[in-house]
Amino acid sequence: GVMEKLGLGPKVLLQENPSLIYARLTGFGQSGKYAKSAGHDINYLALSGVLSKLGRKDENPYAPVNLLADFAGGGVLCALGIVTALYERTKSGKGQVIDASMVKGVAYLSSFLWKSQNLGLWNRPRGENLLDSGAPFYETYKTSDGKFMAVGAIEPQFYEQLIKGLGLRSDKLPSQLSFSDWPEMKKKFASIFSQKTQAEWCSIFDGTDACVTPVLSFDDVASHQHNKERSSFIKNDQEEISPRPAPLLSRTPALPSFKRDPFIGEHTEEILREYGFTKQEITKLYSDKVIEFCKPKANL
């Protein structure tokens, strides 16, 4: 209801411009019991059911920072909704309102979890399943230098290469899918991984299909050979590193800016002047706390 209070709700604007696409991105959505309640990623994740699936055995559920609901279920699906509406408009010539709820978005994002329930992937308690840290071959392990390796050797042929790289023999081990042996196998794998550095394990597993990769820190990720060859990260003019825009389009690839990110309010006056606001109007908007300046004294 915030935009309605400003007199800029979708009914008003669509009446003015029927081809307008109006996106409303919220946590709980435009209606329902919690619609007007405050919340954050962890709350939307909880209400979607997804949070109940995240966490290790015998531990509380945990939210993976705020990536799932805020950015994936919220921002990305909202953007997808806008693209979809733009495409539809090429046929109808009409705009529409997009209700992008983070709860519904992250729930839809989790469709795989719902649709695969009968496949035996999620029929055990949290933290005891194939993809949620239950399996010894889908887990992270600490190395002797305090770093980590990520293991995702699900398919039998990949698992065999994992076993070989660890210096073990599969005919001397329990069956890969023997659930009752998973806890003991995790201990065995952990003990072996702890005996070498991350770099040593990379020299063993790089170039194989064992699905074993280093867990790279933000300090290391841009200098890793694979990421360098792909130009996956860029430096701005302040030497700050950030990911390059993705996905990569062949004919119209995104051209990243190498300038630093603007400060909040840095260009407020400049933009308002471009749209015809006078200095007096801008000054009043600032004094009424409608807008913000990065350096208000210098700008005024």
Side-chain angles (χ1 to χ4, degrees):
V2 175
M3 296 302 285
E4 280 81 359
K5 290 176 184 176
L6 297 173
L8 298 172
K11 287 183 179 179
V12 173
L13 297 185
L14 280 166
Q15 191 171 5
E16 182 77 18
N17 179 6
S19 65
L20 179 70
I21 291 160
Y22 192 110
R24 311 196 81 162
L25 177 57
T26 59
F28 295 115
Q30 297 297 321
S31 60
K33 181 179 179 179
Y34 293 163
K36 296 187 183 301
S37 300
H40 279 295
D41 184 285
I42 194 170
N43 308 116
Y44 314 137
L45 205 57
L47 205 62
S48 73
V50 176
L51 186 57
S52 70
K53 296 291 186 183
L54 305 179
R56 292 184 175 276
K57 180 181 178 181
D58 299 326
E59 292 185 11
N60 296 355
Y62 63 81
V65 290
N66 66 324
L67 291 176
L68 273 184
D70 280 353
F71 298 112
V76 172
L77 286 189
C78 181
L80 180 60
I82 293 170
V83 171
T84 304
L86 283 167
Y87 180 69
E88 192 281 334
R89 190 173 69 180
T90 64
K91 298 180 179 181
S92 68
K94 297 179 181 178
Q96 54 188 311
V97 181
I98 298 163
D99 178 0
S101 153
M102 294 181 190
V103 174
K104 291 180 73 173
V106 75
Y108 183 59
L109 198 67
S110 72
S111 295
F112 166 72
L113 303 183
W114 292 90
K115 301 293 185 180
S116 63
Q117 287 184 100
N118 296 327
L119 299 180
L121 293 176
W122 311 105
N123 56 352
R124 299 171 68 82
R126 182 178 64 250
E128 296 183 26
N129 298 281
L130 184 69
L131 301 177
D132 64 359
S133 81
F137 49 86
Y138 204 87
E139 178 62 287
T140 57
Y141 292 100
K142 195 170 187 178
T143 58
S144 64
D145 53 346
K147 298 181 179 181
F148 295 88
M149 297 298 289
V151 176
I154 297 174
E155 290 80 1
Q157 66 272 29
F158 300 157
Y159 181 72
E160 186 61 37
Q161 293 199 39
L162 166 66
I163 295 303
K164 182 180 177 182
L166 292 176
L168 299 171
R169 286 178 52 182
S170 55
D171 59 352
K172 301 289 185 181
L173 299 173
S175 168
Q176 179 184 357
L177 296 179
S178 177
F179 299 116
S180 61
D181 291 304
W182 279 3
E184 197 58 38
M185 288 297 292
K186 286 179 75 171
K187 290 179 183 176
K188 182 184 287 289
F189 287 4
S191 174
I192 296 173
F193 270 108
S194 70
Q195 295 170 23
K196 288 182 172 66
T197 65
Q198 186 186 71
E200 288 173 324
W201 285 119
C202 286
S203 68
I204 291 172
F205 286 111
D206 281 2
T208 75
D209 284 335
C211 302
V212 179
T213 50
V215 178
L216 299 174
S217 69
F218 271 28
D219 291 333
D220 299 332
V221 68
S223 60
H224 187 273
Q225 183 181 351
H226 179 80
N227 292 330
K228 284 201 298 185
E229 290 173 358
R230 295 277 299 162
S231 300
S232 299
F233 294 84
I234 56 176
K235 276 186 181 180
N236 66 12
D237 55 12
Q238 305 290 308
E239 293 294 300
E240 296 168 330
I241 297 173
S242 62
R244 183 178 290 272
L248 182 65
L249 277 63
S250 64
R251 186 170 51 80
T252 58
L255 298 175
S257 169
F258 293 98
K259 295 181 180 179
R260 64 161 176 79
D261 293 340
F263 300 119
I264 293 174
E266 182 175 357
H267 304 112
T268 303
E269 182 178 6
E270 181 184 337
I271 291 168
L272 290 175
R273 280 186 173 278
E274 284 181 12
Y275 277 90
F277 285 80
T278 66
K279 191 175 180 87
Q280 290 72 27
E281 288 173 325
I282 296 172
T283 302
K284 187 173 189 316
L285 286 172
Y286 174 72
S287 63
D288 290 344
K289 297 185 178 180
V290 175
I291 60 175
E292 185 176 347
F293 286 133
C294 176
K295 296 178 181 176
K297 289 181 181 178
N299 285 341
L300 293 173

